[in-house]
Every structure is written in C-alpha cells, then in structure tokens.
Amino acid sequence: MIGVDTAGVAEQLGAAADTATAIGQLAAEVGLDADGAYAVQTALVQRRLARGERLVGLKMGLTSRAKMAQVGVDEVIWGRLTDVMRVPDGGTVDLAGLIHPRVEPEVAFLLDRLPEPGEPVGAFTEAVRAVAPAIELIDSRYANFTFSLPDVIADNASAAAFVVGPWSPVPDGLANLGVLLEVDGRVAQVGSTAAILGDPRRALDEGLRLAGWHGVRLRQGWVFLAGAATAAVPLRPGAHVRAVVEKLGTASLRASS
Ligand code: OOG
Ligand code: MG
C-alpha cells in the first residue's frame, strides 16, 4: 500500500457525497487493496466526525447472496453509521442530497455487553439487548452503483441513511423470519432472515471479527445493521417504503418529492 494517498482518496469520496455527484471507481487506479480501503474509510468517516457527527453504530454489507449477486462483490464488508445518517421511523429522506439511493430491508441489533476483542460472543442475549426491523438507504458514490471490493469498502459500504423501527426483546427464533420490502403498498422484495449468513446472529460474530482486525471496537448502545436480506430497490421521489420483519414489525420512510 506504499504510495496510496489515503487522505486524498477519502477527500474525493467525501466530496462526491457532499455534492451528490457520482465519481468513477478509484481502487484499481490508485492501487488500493481491502486493508488500504478500510484506512480510506476511516479517514472518510473521520471527516464526518471532524464536523461534529457522532459514531452510533456499525453496518454489515453483503451478508446475503442476493446482495452479493446484485453488486457483483462476494465478500462480507462493514461500514460505520453516524447520528446524522439516522432518520426517525416514518420520517422523510431528502433526495436532494443523494445520487441514486436504494433501500433494503434489514434487521437491527441494539448492542449491549460485548466480549473483549478477540473473544467470541457468549450468549447472544447478553450481547444484544433488543432487535428491530430496519431500512437501510444506500447510495454508492460510484457511477452506476458499480464498484470493486476495495472501492465499496473505501466508500463506507455505500452507507447513507437508516431507519430503525420499534425495538423488541430478542425473540426465540431469529434465524428464519419472513422479510418484506414494500414500496407504495406493493411488495418489492420478499425474503427471510435466513438469507443473512444463515442466521443474522452470525453477522454480529463477523462484525466483531472483521472490525476487530482493524482495531475497531463495537460499543454498548450502538445500532448494528446485520445486512440486507434481499436485493436493494431504487428509491423514487415521493415513495413510501416499509420493511416488515415477521415477529418484529415494521420500519418505514418516505422519500421527498
Ligand atoms: C454495498 C452495501 C451492502 C448490505 O446490506 O448488504 C449492504 C452496496 O450494496 O452498495 O449494505
Ligand atoms: Mg445494507
């Protein structure tokens, strides 16, 4: 990774997000591998923190086959969530600041007592206080939503916004719950939480392991998005979107017109 201008690449991605202007892929050109890309992501998120945003969680990406197939990248990735990305349940997302937003149904965990770095998760119900249906709004900063693995890692795993529905205590079975994504009352995607690494609880093990490699510790009180159970769908002006997860209920958002 000698010679990669980490700060410069982060600045290009940050400016693309700030101005809602797509850019071309960067990784191949500047010789970025996955580790270098996480360094860019750190710098990119640092840029947000420097202007007053707060870290509030972690998101997993490409934890389901449907997502891997949709974007043509087949490795699990992670990114960071800040307070500014959180939209209240039922709230409106302003499309003006976005390039080509897509929405996807997710399961969110409210993190509680986590193991020490390098230790496995003990009882899931100790590590996770509550679970909720969620919607993630992704907005790749790359033209045509086309990227390589290091490109998408550097771009903070396409994170843009997220909505968390009502929290519930962890239900007995979480491994095979029906998932629906509705747009304007019509079913746009159907799936199951089983699509998320066979069981969304595994996403937490992966998140702890992968973020741990990069020295990132997950915190009590953080939101953890386990990754979409289905492919994402474009978010059109004025659309009303609902994610429904069996036993957990609904999260919703509206797009500005
Ligand atoms: C990358 C982010 C993937 C998920 O839930 O799988 C993701 C992308 O699709 O642009 O958030
Ligand atoms: Mg996602």
Side-chain angles (χ1 to χ4, degrees):
M1 277 301 90
I2 293 164
V4 175
D5 176 10
T6 301
V9 177
E11 188 51 41
Q12 284 188 64
L13 283 162
D18 290 349
T19 59
T21 311
I23 57 173
Q25 294 178 58
L26 300 161
E29 196 181 313
V30 303
L32 207 56
D33 64 10
D35 282 343
Y38 277 112
V40 171
Q41 183 191 117
T42 300
L44 179 64
V45 173
Q46 192 54 47
R47 202 175 165 275
R48 285 176 169 267
L49 303 185
R51 57 188 188 209
E53 294 184 33
R54 264 186 325 110
L55 279 179
V56 296
L58 202 96
K59 61 159 282 182
M60 299 307 287
L62 312 180
T63 49
S64 68
R65 287 265 141 227
K67 284 289 309 182
M68 287 180 173
Q70 183 174 35
V71 297
V73 174
D74 59 3
E75 280 194 52
V76 173
I77 60 174
W78 58 277
R80 279 99 154 180
L81 301 172
T82 76
D83 58 339
V84 166
M85 298 178 188
R86 186 154 179 178
V87 174
D89 191 17
T92 299
V93 175
D94 187 3
L95 295 186
L98 299 165
I99 302 167
H100 40 204
R102 294 178 176 175
V103 282
E104 52 190 26
E106 301 241 359
V107 177
F109 300 155
L110 182 59
L111 300 183
D112 200 354
R113 278 168 294 153
L114 296 164
E116 289 302 308
E119 300 286 317
V121 181
F124 184 78
T125 47
E126 272 182 26
V128 170
R129 194 184 320 160
V131 294
I135 301 171
E136 190 185 17
L137 190 159
I138 51 174
D139 192 33
S140 175
R141 270 51 71 166
Y142 302 110
N144 306 314
F145 241 100
T146 304
F147 42 70
S148 65
L149 172 71
D151 278 313
V152 66
I153 291 170
D155 187 26
N156 196 22
S158 308
F162 65 101
V163 173
V164 179
W167 293 111
S168 319
V170 179
D172 274 347
L174 198 57
N176 190 12
L177 302 178
V179 175
L180 275 184
L181 185 71
E182 280 178 20
V183 179
D184 295 329
R186 291 203 191 90
V187 175
Q189 292 285 338
V190 187
S192 157
T193 56
I196 306 163
L197 298 175
D199 180 337
R201 285 176 291 198
R202 287 207 188 106
L204 181 59
D205 297 305
E206 283 297 285
L208 287 164
R209 192 173 65 81
L210 295 174
W213 270 351
H214 293 93
V216 173
R217 247 186 119 155
L218 280 61
R219 305 276 166 192
Q220 193 173 40
W222 273 15
V223 171
F224 180 91
L225 296 180
T230 73
V233 305
L235 181 63
R236 312 262 183 233
H240 182 248
V241 179
R242 279 183 2 128
V244 186
V245 182
E246 187 185 346
K247 288 191 191 172
L248 303 185
T250 300
S252 71
L253 64 80
R254 190 174 285 285
S256 64
S257 41

